[in-house]
Amino acid sequence: MRKSIATVCLSGSLEDKLYACADAGFDGIEIFEPDLVVNDRSPEEIRALVDRLGLSLDLYQPFRDFEGVGPDLFEDNLRRARARFETMRRLGIGTVLVCSNVATATIGSDRVAAEQLRRLGDLAASYGVRVAYEALAWGKYVDDYRRSWEIARLADHEAVGVCLDSFHILSRGHDPAAIEEIPGEKIFFAQLADAPDLTMDVLSWSRHHRLFPGEGAWDLGRFVTHLVRAGYTGPLSLEVFNDVFRQTDPGRTAEHALRSLVWLEDRAARLLADDGVGPAVVLDRIADVDVPTGYDYVEIKAEDTHEVEVMLDQLGLTFRGQHRTKPVRLWSSGAANVVLNEQRARDLAPHVAGIGLGVADAAAASDRARALAVRAVPRRTQAGELDLAGFVAPSGLEVFLNDRRTRTPAGTEPAWAAEFDRGRPGPGAGQISGVDHVNISHGWDTHDEAVLFYTTVLGLESPTATEAAGPQGLVRSQVMRTADGAVRISLNVAPAGVSHPQHIALACTDVVAVARRAGERGLPRVPVPANYYDDLRARFGLDDTTLALLRDHQLMYDRSEAGEFWHFYTPRVGHLCFEVVQRVGGYDVYAGDNTPVLLAAQDRLDRAQRSRLSRSSGVSVSAGEKSSPAR
Amino acid sequence: MRKSIATVCLSGSLEDKLYACADAGFDGIEIFEPDLVVNDRSPEEIRALVDRLGLSLDLYQPFRDFEGVGPDLFEDNLRRARARFETMRRLGIGTVLVCSNVATATIGSDRVAAEQLRRLGDLAASYGVRVAYEALAWGKYVDDYRRSWEIARLADHEAVGVCLDSFHILSRGHDPAAIEEIPGEKIFFAQLADAPDLTMDVLSWSRHHRLFPGEGAWDLGRFVTHLVRAGYTGPLSLEVFNDVFRQTDPGRTAEHALRSLVWLEDRAARLLADDGVGPAVVLDRIADVDVPTGYDYVEIKAEDTHEVEVMLDQLGLTFRGQHRTKPVRLWSSGAANVVLNEQRARDLAPHVAGIGLGVADAAAASDRARALAVRAVPRRTQAGELDLAGFVAPSGLEVFLNDRRTRTPAGTEPAWAAEFDRGRPGPGAGQISGVDHVNISHGWDTHDEAVLFYTTVLGLESPTATEAAGPQGLVRSQVMRTADGAVRISLNVAPAGVSHPQHIALACTDVVAVARRAGERGLPRVPVPANYYDDLRARFGLDDTTLALLRDHQLMYDRSEAGEFWHFYTPRVGHLCFEVVQRVGGYDVYAGDNTPVLLAAQDRLDRAQRSRLSRSSGVSVSAGEKSSPAR
């Protein structure tokens, strides 16, 4: 189906928006009237620019407060409409969105509304344009799409149909299935927006918190199937009022927006296929999602990785060797592989630069990523080296997909491990058994885009978000994970201006043994306050022996109905730290109540370090800074 | 009354919070348990620090999910309570907050809850502490303070009383008047929070959007009168969960918080006096608010004010002279006085640094500001010069109060104008008649504090907030004004990282004449797009003559039921621009629909300037940068 977007979704001038939409690959746009009014180009110039960019102008919006009024106001409303139709003529736009009256309506009669829309239809027809009537969720009399269709039906005019907006329908909890009762040719336009499940007044929810499909709580795929089954053949168009997207780079937001529509169309196609419905309209499909089976490796980049390697040794990982052709070193233990990639980048502090994930079919998974317009990572490989497909996630993290078929026959060892030599052979035999999760930090302006990326490209799920109070404000977290927990990525948004460390959580089956051995080898630890252990005693009624064990090894603890969680953190090295975790029983979450303890302890360590460093030159690399992707 | 604050209101470590509360002048604090748990000081160390700082520890909070449970869980809850009472003993805290059960309650019986609280009372008494039972707005069975009091009454234990939190009572719309039916000695604690009038789930509203008294929609003064009439003699304590205050400097937030309590106590005292109620407890009063009568002057600081002076001349203001002892120049027209203050500060771009306001009694108004702990502006004056009292508003703006009594007998001319010479005598005779409003820009982290400042110190009112879409995101505005409109200050919050210009809006009675004259003298203008005039025609049905007049002079227009608004803007000079406005009839608002036109036009001008400047050194002074207050 054709893909459109309303200019109100993006930041910048109208020209910025048009270029961004064309670059991302949209077919058309909706002109949001205020974007035209504030612009210094004439309608004719805009029309010519849109033509040159290969876009179509699909909708002019919104026209407000038209129907259900007395005779004098109605005449003035027709005068207003004439002026807008004149502008549409200059722009060459064929359809106008008419929202149900929220302000000036005094007559709640479907008959009167229909009669007035018929008059509007006559006027529209004289300009060669069509009226798409939409029930706003907060319309004075008309706030249900079934009623707006009833009025359009009564209007009985070829230039009068309806516009269906998923927000106005789903925010009210109205069943979208009745869309199928509307003749497809009378659905003049379809606007799509997802939204988080919020309890707030619907106007604020609509104006500030809409999301692109796939990012919120609603089943937009199902919504589209109703449109298709009704026979709708117009564009799928995004109308997403969101305070964040109004500020982010329009080029990036447009790519992100298009990704949501590509995913949505595929999703609707799959639902229709499941329903056994033949295509009334051709829906584009993309490759199946290939849910990752586990972490292949985690990659850390830095100018100097020495400090990290000391820590990995203390944690019991084994140095597996140096890459044959690159300044890259491998440490591992069990299924945990940590790749250290030294960069010629002055003062580049250690940070998590990439993750390798195992998939069933890397080629097909890469096709899907490319179909979703994800940027690929260019890599140099030499003869005999494995060519992993790599993609850039919204935070700049590089995600590499490795085929299960390229693993060595012996077992879990990935084939690329053979590219490393001069280290100890075989997987390390330490207590660390794998990667439990990776904790990424990104800005508030990247979060929704990141959720969409991990959902659509990798098929991860997003259980409920949490938040933890730190000394500098609330840190919000959302875990993206596979259903089986083999891959878990925690996405964190720190308060503005606060650098929140990434961390790599390593799994083990005996955290006390790891902690003891690490302690003997001199691993520093994030110190846990005595008050925390008093709190554990009060909360969980732990006995003295257990508390002493926890305290002696500076471990943290949590318990759910399913099991227990024992864990500890290392201090920060550059932008990252390590966590070692042991899950006992069916414990399947992340000890959220311990996060404030970590944040406060890190703050104390940071202050101590700042006071030590106060007279030397500070490290200025920010958490978001990326090194060159060449490797 | 004693003034307390919960540690959760502030950012930083527990020590940061304690120092901030002591510095601001609070009497005591509530320890929010998580702040203790994450801290590395022992309870004894915290107690000693609090002692040294002269604070008292008034409340330990919260203890959750105690009552309404079966026998096994009840025993575990008593065990939990014992552990907390032990911590309280080490801290030396006498009262614990027990919230109504939201999670584990299975028995909705007041009798059972009361019996369990009586058992808790016994345990508490053995530790010498008291239990303040509070109905959370989202309690499972107990969500109304009248029911929590009924349960506490049934518990009939000297160590069991209630805690009353304005949020939990007012968010549910419960009438607080029944507080007066509770014996004062059974009200063990009172927590105060204001909140904006939001429609959202009460838990999110409570956890993220509380405000300090005076900043929200509720009558907290009236709430306090009920406490006083009930005979409550404990502290007035702030418990304000707010995402912004969790991030701002704790010292600044504590001052801001204390200001709200000083104001609140005075407000309650006035209400009680109006009611004719004698003091059951002594309430501190401060000087009456002295609502300003108008703008005395607006002060612009810069390294070089020449460009601004050229613009003032083009706008028809008159150069009145140079200050006798300072590098300060005065321009005026009618009642509009613009003071230009040149600073020895390299590259300091022009910005609005201060406003002078006329008041009935500057000495009393200054007493009020000092009582509200507002920082004074230190100024050097020489013999024979007027000593204006100056105060620093949260955004850094300096507010000077000038006595009406110091005006010259002749009329509107302020006495300080005599300190300027070598200019033209008398008020300028241009078309500009005064200052209509001043538009200030500050960060999202300053807004609530600024609203409280203008409300409490100057008695300004805050009608509904608005927002305008700019190319870089939404700009939020709140106008603070006197009822008569003589002083209007518009507070603006721009998107993160966006510099939003301040502006000075000058009033006139013939904006066409001002615009014509200014145009003849070469004043550049913010260009208004032709599409805007097409939109005006469509919206208002303006005739061709009027539209031509508007277009020829690049004026903007708005209309309300009360009248019309004609206005134009100059381009930015440094961080400010000028607006010239003409209000026709009873038009009393600010043409909010025109703001996006201004924002888009400024963005075009800024881009054009950036591309001109791209090879020269950029101006790096940010909008928030302050010059030295010495003058």
Side-chain angles (χ1 to χ4, degrees):
Chain A
M1 298 175 82
R2 299 186 61 255
K3 294 178 183 62
S4 291
I5 184 168
T7 54
V8 74
C9 303
L10 304 174
S11 72
S13 68
L14 184 56
E15 294 89 332
D16 294 337
K17 298 174 190 215
L18 296 176
Y19 277 101
C21 293
D23 288 348
F26 278 96
D27 301 302
I29 61 154
E30 306 176 23
I31 288 258
F32 183 62
E33 184 176 274
D35 281 327
L36 173 70
V37 169
V38 306
N39 197 271
D40 59 348
R41 295 194 188 214
S42 68
E44 290 78 8
E45 285 177 284
I46 292 165
R47 179 180 191 165
L49 173 61
V50 165
D51 275 351
R52 171 163 67 81
L53 294 175
L55 294 167
S56 62
L57 288 170
D58 293 333
L59 189 76
Y60 185 90
Q61 63 122 321
F63 188 73
R64 296 188 191 279
D65 297 332
F66 176 78
E67 86 291 6
V69 299
D72 287 355
L73 190 49
F74 181 65
E75 286 307 316
D76 195 53
N77 286 350
L78 283 175
R79 181 198 58 72
R80 282 198 297 130
R82 205 172 291 117
R84 301 308 184 190
F85 292 166
E86 181 58 32
T87 302
M88 289 171 64
R89 193 190 53 71
R90 296 171 64 192
L91 286 162
I93 299 186
T95 307
V96 63
L97 175 71
V98 174
C99 305
S100 62
N101 198 324
V102 300
T104 61
T106 51
I107 308 162
S109 151
D110 287 3
R111 198 190 46 75
V112 170
E115 171 56 30
Q116 293 183 338
L117 281 176
R118 188 183 308 128
R119 289 279 304 282
L120 186 63
D122 286 341
L123 182 63
S126 75
Y127 282 87
V129 303
R130 303 191 310 170
V131 167
Y133 180 54
E134 174 184 76
L136 293 179
W138 53 92
K140 186 163 175 186
Y141 297 110
V142 180
D143 57 8
D144 184 325
Y145 77 100
R146 291 161 292 204
R147 188 162 180 193
S148 59
W149 161 236
E150 177 59 20
I151 291 168
R153 197 185 60 76
L154 286 172
D156 191 25
H157 194 291
E158 60 174 5
V160 177
V162 292
C163 172
L164 300 175
D165 180 318
S166 63
F167 184 90
H168 295 297
I169 295 169
L170 300 176
S171 66
R172 298 293 308 270
H174 295 158
D175 183 352
I179 289 173
E180 298 182 23
E181 293 162 23
I182 306 173
E185 69 278 9
K186 296 304 277 186
I187 305 176
F188 285 0
F189 211 76
Q191 293 178 314
L192 298 163
D194 205 339
D197 189 16
L198 296 176
T199 306
M200 69 190 309
D201 72 283
V202 72
L203 181 60
S204 303
W205 191 16
S206 173
R207 293 269 169 89
H208 302 290
H209 301 283
R210 292 187 181 205
L211 292 170
F212 293 121
E215 297 175 350
W218 295 336
D219 187 352
L220 271 296
R222 179 56 64 194
F223 188 91
V224 170
T225 66
H226 297 308
L227 289 169
V228 170
R229 293 172 78 126
Y232 175 69
T233 57
L236 297 178
S237 189
L238 297 166
E239 188 191 31
V240 173
F241 298 90
N242 180 296
D243 291 1
V244 172
F245 307 152
R246 280 181 186 274
Q247 294 179 49
T248 41
D249 175 74
R252 204 179 96 190
T253 308
E255 286 176 16
H256 160 199
L258 189 75
R259 182 170 306 139
S260 81
L261 276 187
V262 170
W263 167 82
L264 179 64
E265 183 168 356
D266 172 72
R267 169 116 185 101
R270 288 167 189 271
L271 288 169
L272 286 168
D274 291 349
D275 295 347
V277 176
V281 61
V282 177
L283 295 183
D284 287 337
R285 290 192 49 166
I286 59 177
D288 291 353
V289 70
D290 190 348
V291 177
T293 54
Y295 280 99
D296 209 25
Y297 64 88
V298 180
E299 178 180 0
I300 295 168
K301 283 187 180 169
E303 184 192 16
D304 180 348
T305 62
H306 179 71
E307 260 191 291
V308 179
E309 292 187 76
V310 168
M311 211 172 251
L312 291 172
D313 180 52
Q314 290 163 333
L315 289 169
L317 281 81
T318 303
F319 174 60
R320 299 290 310 289
Q322 170 80 32
H323 194 273
R324 287 196 300 253
T325 64
K326 299 171 189 164
V328 172
R329 296 156 67 83
L330 171 64
W331 286 73
S332 64
S333 172
N337 296 304
V338 180
V339 168
L340 299 155
N341 191 339
E342 287 196 341
Q343 302 285 304
R344 285 203 207 96
R346 186 161 168 191
D347 288 338
L348 183 70
H351 64 281
V352 179
I355 54 177
L357 301 174
V359 291
D361 182 344
S366 298
D367 284 348
R368 181 177 174 91
R370 275 189 291 270
L372 289 163
V374 178
R375 200 151 48 85
V377 179
R379 294 177 76 234
R380 277 181 288 188
T381 46
Q382 305 201 7
E385 291 176 8
L386 204 65
D387 188 15
L388 302 183
F391 298 92
V392 185
S395 61
L397 186 79
E398 294 174 353
V399 178
F400 294 95
L401 302 176
N402 189 12
D403 221 318
R404 270 204 305 243
R405 289 170 300 192
T406 64
R407 290 181 175 265
T408 55
T412 60
E413 186 81 343
W416 54 259
E419 296 171 17
F420 292 81
D421 54 25
R422 284 175 289 164
R424 293 173 193 233
Q431 297 272 355
I432 300 293
S433 55
V435 173
D436 185 86
H437 63 275
V438 174
N439 186 305
I440 300 298
S441 185
H442 53 211
W444 53 269
D445 53 348
T446 302
H447 186 72
D448 295 311
E449 192 183 349
V451 169
L452 188 79
F453 173 87
Y454 292 106
T455 306
T456 60
V457 177
L458 299 179
L460 303 190
E461 300 167 4
S462 52
T464 318
T466 58
E467 60 199 12
Q472 295 162 294
L474 293 178
V475 176
R476 296 173 200 277
S477 295
Q478 182 148 24
V479 173
M480 306 294 304
R481 56 174 288 173
T482 57
D484 64 1
V487 172
R488 309 170 193 248
I489 300 170
S490 173
L491 306 177
N492 294 270
V493 178
V498 174
S499 143
H500 183 64
Q502 308 162 318
H503 73 251
I504 300 170
L506 299 167
C508 73
T509 50
D510 187 348
V511 71
V512 173
V514 174
R516 179 178 292 122
R517 186 177 177 286
E520 287 163 6
R521 292 180 168 226
L523 178 75
R525 211 64 76 66
V526 166
V528 181
N531 296 336
Y532 170 76
Y533 296 106
D534 289 345
D535 182 61
L536 280 189
R537 181 197 300 276
R539 278 200 285 156
F540 297 118
L542 297 182
D543 59 42
D544 288 346
T545 314
T546 307
L547 278 171
L549 191 63
L550 290 165
R551 193 186 291 110
D552 288 350
H553 296 289
Q554 294 280 286
L555 304 177
M556 293 202 258
Y557 176 88
D558 192 31
R559 193 164 76 198
S560 70
E561 288 186 8
E564 293 182 328
F565 191 62
W566 295 55
H567 62 138
F568 71 86
Y569 294 93
T570 70
R572 205 190 279 237
V573 186
H575 302 302
L576 67 88
C577 66
F578 291 94
E579 182 186 3
V580 177
V581 314
Q582 180 183 355
R583 294 177 186 273
V584 181
Y587 185 95
D588 200 27
V589 287
Y590 309 87
D593 284 351
N594 293 340
T595 306
V597 182
L598 170 66
L599 295 173
Q602 274 174 334
D603 185 59
R604 284 191 293 272
L605 291 175
D606 289 347
R607 288 180 194 218
Q609 190 177 22
R610 272 201 302 275
S611 75
R612 279 198 303 274
L613 289 179
S614 62
R615 268 176 307 197
S616 62
S617 73
V619 174
S620 67
V621 177
S622 78
E625 186 160 330
K626 291 293 304 156
S627 59
S628 154
R631 37 182 287 177
Chain B
M1 297 177 83
R2 299 184 62 255
K3 294 180 183 61
S4 291
I5 184 169
T7 54
V8 73
C9 303
L10 303 174
S11 73
S13 68
L14 184 55
E15 294 89 332
D16 294 336
K17 298 174 190 216
L18 296 176
Y19 277 101
C21 294
D23 287 349
F26 278 95
D27 301 301
I29 60 152
E30 306 175 25
I31 289 258
F32 183 62
E33 184 175 275
D35 281 327
L36 173 70
V37 169
V38 306
N39 198 270
D40 59 349
R41 295 195 187 213
S42 68
E44 291 77 8
E45 284 178 284
I46 291 164
R47 179 181 191 164
L49 173 59
V50 164
D51 275 351
R52 170 164 66 80
L53 294 175
L55 294 168
S56 61
L57 288 170
D58 292 334
L59 188 77
Y60 186 90
Q61 64 120 321
F63 188 73
R64 296 189 192 279
D65 297 333
F66 175 78
E67 85 292 6
V69 298
D72 288 355
L73 189 50
F74 182 64
E75 286 308 314
D76 194 54
N77 285 350
L78 282 176
R79 182 197 60 70
R80 283 199 294 129
R82 206 171 290 117
R84 301 307 184 191
F85 292 166
E86 182 58 33
T87 303
M88 288 170 65
R89 192 190 54 70
R90 295 171 66 194
L91 286 162
I93 299 186
T95 307
V96 62
L97 176 71
V98 174
C99 305
S100 61
N101 199 324
V102 300
T104 61
T106 51
I107 308 162
S109 151
D110 288 2
R111 196 189 47 75
V112 170
E115 171 56 30
Q116 293 182 337
L117 281 176
R118 188 182 308 126
R119 289 279 303 281
L120 186 65
D122 286 341
L123 181 64
S126 74
Y127 282 87
V129 303
R130 305 190 309 170
V131 168
Y133 180 55
E134 174 184 77
L136 293 179
W138 54 92
K140 186 163 175 188
Y141 296 111
V142 181
D143 59 7
D144 185 325
Y145 77 100
R146 291 161 293 204
R147 188 162 179 194
S148 59
W149 160 237
E150 177 60 18
I151 291 169
R153 196 186 61 75
L154 286 171
D156 191 24
H157 194 293
E158 61 173 6
V160 177
V162 291
C163 173
L164 300 176
D165 181 319
S166 62
F167 185 88
H168 294 296
I169 295 169
L170 301 176
S171 66
R172 298 293 309 272
H174 295 156
D175 183 351
I179 289 173
E180 297 183 24
E181 292 161 25
I182 306 174
E185 69 278 10
K186 297 303 277 185
I187 305 175
F188 285 0
F189 210 76
Q191 293 179 313
L192 299 164
D194 205 340
D197 189 15
L198 296 175
T199 305
M200 69 189 311
D201 72 283
V202 71
L203 182 61
S204 302
W205 191 16
S206 174
R207 292 269 168 88
H208 302 290
H209 301 284
R210 292 188 181 203
L211 292 170
F212 292 121
E215 297 175 352
W218 294 337
D219 187 352
L220 271 295
R222 178 56 66 193
F223 189 90
V224 170
T225 66
H226 296 309
L227 289 169
V228 171
R229 292 172 79 127
Y232 175 68
T233 56
L236 297 179
S237 190
L238 297 167
E239 189 192 31
V240 173
F241 299 89
N242 180 296
D243 291 1
V244 173
F245 307 152
R246 279 181 187 275
Q247 294 180 49
T248 42
D249 175 74
R252 204 179 96 190
T253 309
E255 285 176 16
H256 159 198
L258 189 75
R259 182 171 306 138
S260 80
L261 276 187
V262 170
W263 168 81
L264 179 63
E265 184 169 353
D266 172 73
R267 169 116 184 100
R270 288 168 191 270
L271 288 169
L272 286 168
D274 290 350
D275 295 347
V277 175
V281 60
V282 177
L283 295 182
D284 286 337
R285 291 191 48 168
I286 59 177
D288 291 354
V289 69
D290 190 350
V291 178
T293 53
Y295 281 98
D296 208 26
Y297 64 89
V298 179
E299 178 180 359
I300 295 168
K301 283 186 180 171
E303 185 192 15
D304 181 348
T305 61
H306 180 71
E307 261 192 292
V308 179
E309 291 186 77
V310 168
M311 211 171 251
L312 291 173
D313 179 52
Q314 289 163 333
L315 289 169
L317 282 81
T318 303
F319 175 60
R320 298 290 310 288
Q322 170 81 33
H323 193 273
R324 286 197 300 251
T325 64
K326 300 171 189 164
V328 173
R329 295 156 69 81
L330 171 65
W331 287 72
S332 64
S333 173
N337 296 303
V338 180
V339 168
L340 299 154
N341 190 339
E342 288 197 340
Q343 303 284 304
R344 284 203 207 96
R346 188 162 166 188
D347 288 339
L348 183 72
H351 64 279
V352 179
I355 54 176
L357 301 174
V359 292
D361 181 345
S366 300
D367 284 347
R368 181 177 175 92
R370 274 188 293 270
L372 289 163
V374 178
R375 199 151 49 85
V377 179
R379 294 177 77 235
R380 276 182 288 191
T381 45
Q382 303 202 10
E385 291 176 11
L386 205 63
D387 187 15
L388 302 183
F391 297 92
V392 184
S395 61
L397 185 78
E398 295 173 352
V399 178
F400 294 94
L401 303 176
N402 189 11
D403 221 317
R404 272 207 304 244
R405 288 171 301 193
T406 63
R407 288 177 177 268
T408 54
T412 60
E413 186 83 342
W416 54 260
E419 295 169 19
F420 292 81
D421 53 28
R422 284 173 288 164
R424 292 173 195 235
Q431 297 273 355
I432 301 292
S433 55
V435 173
D436 185 86
H437 63 278
V438 173
N439 186 305
I440 300 298
S441 185
H442 53 212
W444 52 270
D445 54 348
T446 302
H447 187 71
D448 295 311
E449 192 184 348
V451 169
L452 188 79
F453 173 87
Y454 292 107
T455 306
T456 60
V457 177
L458 299 179
L460 302 190
E461 299 165 6
S462 51
T464 318
T466 58
E467 60 200 12
Q472 296 161 294
L474 293 178
V475 176
R476 296 174 199 276
S477 296
Q478 182 147 26
V479 173
M480 307 292 304
R481 56 174 287 173
T482 56
D484 64 1
V487 172
R488 307 169 193 250
I489 300 170
S490 174
L491 306 177
N492 294 271
V493 178
V498 174
S499 143
H500 182 65
Q502 308 162 318
H503 74 250
I504 299 169
L506 300 167
C508 72
T509 49
D510 187 348
V511 72
V512 174
V514 174
R516 179 178 293 122
R517 186 177 177 286
E520 287 163 4
R521 293 179 167 225
L523 179 74
R525 211 64 75 69
V526 167
V528 181
N531 296 337
Y532 171 77
Y533 296 106
D534 289 346
D535 183 62
L536 279 189
R537 182 197 300 275
R539 277 200 285 156
F540 297 117
L542 296 182
D543 60 44
D544 288 346
T545 314
T546 306
L547 279 170
L549 192 62
L550 289 166
R551 193 186 291 108
D552 288 350
H553 296 288
Q554 294 281 284
L555 303 178
M556 293 203 258
Y557 175 87
D558 191 31
R559 193 164 75 198
S560 69
E561 288 186 8
E564 293 182 328
F565 191 62
W566 294 55
H567 61 137
F568 71 85
Y569 295 92
T570 71
R572 205 189 279 237
V573 186
H575 302 302
L576 67 88
C577 66
F578 292 93
E579 181 185 5
V580 177
V581 314
Q582 180 183 355
R583 294 178 185 273
V584 182
Y587 186 95
D588 200 26
V589 288
Y590 309 89
D593 285 351
N594 292 340
T595 306
V597 181
L598 170 66
L599 294 173
Q602 275 174 334
D603 185 59
R604 284 191 293 274
L605 292 175
D606 290 346
R607 289 181 194 218
Q609 189 177 21
R610 272 200 302 276
S611 75
R612 279 197 304 274
L613 288 179
S614 62
R615 267 177 307 199
S616 61
S617 71
V619 174
S620 68
V621 177
S622 78
E625 186 162 329
K626 290 296 305 158
S627 59
S628 154
R631 40 183 284 179

